Amino acid sequence: MNRVLVTGGGSGIGLAIAAAFLRDGAAVLVGDLDPSALASAAAAAPGLHGAVADMGDPASAEAVASAVVESVAVRAAVAVVACAALALAALLRDRR
């Protein structure tokens, strides 16, 4: 079984990617800033595991990586899909 971590997976493209991996039989953990988005994602995609994570914060990113390793269903990620909108935020911030 493939194990996948999707950042920004609580909604939108990230959730669609996570759901596609689930349909293909992967164990999926998503990280997202918004706890309510994670709850909605879990309801929309049964079997999805979620962790609140701010991928722009090193401590939070480390915590979600640990959640992948410590999860019963997701021992270690064999794929990481980065859908968190960090790059865009940094570009916009740098153009002020």
Side-chain angles (χ1 to χ4, degrees):
M1 173 186 289
N2 289 327
R3 294 165 301 275
V4 180
L5 167 63
V6 181
T7 66
S11 62
I13 293 170
L15 177 55
I17 291 169
F21 275 111
L22 279 172
R23 282 191 302 275
D24 286 344
V28 181
L29 185 132
V30 299
D32 200 282
L33 275 172
D34 184 354
S36 63
L38 288 172
S40 294
L48 190 72
H49 301 271
V52 175
D54 176 356
M55 300 312 288
D57 173 26
S60 183
E62 178 66 31
V64 78
S66 294
V68 170
V69 173
E70 293 171 6
S71 172
V72 172
V74 186
R75 286 283 175 213
V78 295
V80 175
V81 180
C83 289
L86 295 175
L88 178 59
L91 286 173
L92 293 174
R93 184 178 53 247
D94 293 343
R95 293 182 186 265
R96 288 186 196 165

